Amino acid sequence: MTEIQQVPAGLPPVLGVAAGEDRFGEHRGLGISTIDFKVSPQDSGGILILENTFHAKGGPARHLHYDQDEWFYAVEGEFILEVGTERIRLQPGDSLLAPRKVPHVWAYVGDARGRMLIAFMPAGKMAAFFREVTKANAMPPQDPALWRAHGMELLGPPLSVET
């Protein structure tokens, strides 16, 4: 889909992104999953919304965001999230908000395809982070300097999941 320009001058255009598509037509791989940008900071006044589609179990390392709240919405499959000291299981239709400065980690634990919408508010340097780390088509490296350069603190390994 493309931008629809039927809005008053000075307002952002209405934007549609088709299922399975990326806002910019780019491909971003993380080894066990892919990421499609659905809403970018320049479209929305500072929010990044992405769709993360999994074909294998796993997830990112434990971390926190200095300035972003992170919202998760399970679309398909099952996910486990740890936010602070809470451990939550998300099924399709469930959502969770991980506040900024609170350690969190999550993983896809289902047996088929998994999909989750993730929003970063405000986006900060998250779009740049995903553009950088997906160049290798692998989960982000556990390099503290890389995470810190993008407004996060790397705190530990990913969740252990049965394969």
Side-chain angles (χ1 to χ4, degrees):
M1 294 183 179
T2 58
E3 294 179 4
I4 302 167
Q5 296 293 332
Q6 300 172 348
V7 295
L11 294 178
V14 174
L15 175 67
V17 180
E21 303 266 332
D22 177 83
R23 161 75 175 91
F24 302 103
E26 299 171 0
H27 175 77
R28 291 180 198 82
L30 287 168
I32 63 170
S33 69
T34 60
I35 291 178
D36 292 321
F37 288 1
K38 297 297 185 177
V39 176
S40 69
Q42 59 265 38
D43 299 325
S44 64
I47 295 173
L48 173 64
I49 301 174
L50 57 86
E51 182 177 35
N52 199 179
T53 303
F54 287 80
H55 58 267
K57 294 179 181 188
R62 186 176 306 272
H63 62 282
L64 64 76
H65 299 265
Y66 300 129
D67 299 313
Q68 287 79 37
D69 296 322
E70 188 171 4
W71 177 76
F72 301 91
Y73 179 86
V75 176
E76 184 177 354
E78 185 175 353
F79 297 84
I80 293 177
L81 291 88
E82 291 182 3
V83 180
T85 60
E86 299 291 321
R87 185 176 177 99
I88 299 107
R89 187 174 295 269
L90 293 186
Q91 303 279 346
D94 295 340
S95 68
L96 176 94
L97 179 67
R100 65 192 74 191
K101 299 180 182 169
V102 176
H104 60 281
V105 63
W106 56 274
Y108 172 62
V109 295
D111 293 321
R113 182 172 83 158
R115 288 187 307 135
M116 185 173 337
L117 293 176
I118 303 172
F120 299 92
M121 304 156 292
K125 298 178 183 176
M126 294 308 301
F129 176 75
F130 288 117
R131 283 194 168 104
E132 178 64 30
V133 300
T134 55
K135 290 176 184 176
N137 192 25
M139 289 305 288
Q142 293 188 37
D143 173 0
L146 171 70
W147 291 67
R148 202 168 298 115
H150 291 92
M152 296 174 282
E153 191 72 31
L154 181 63
L155 300 172
L159 282 178
S160 177
V161 294
E162 307 95 39
T163 54

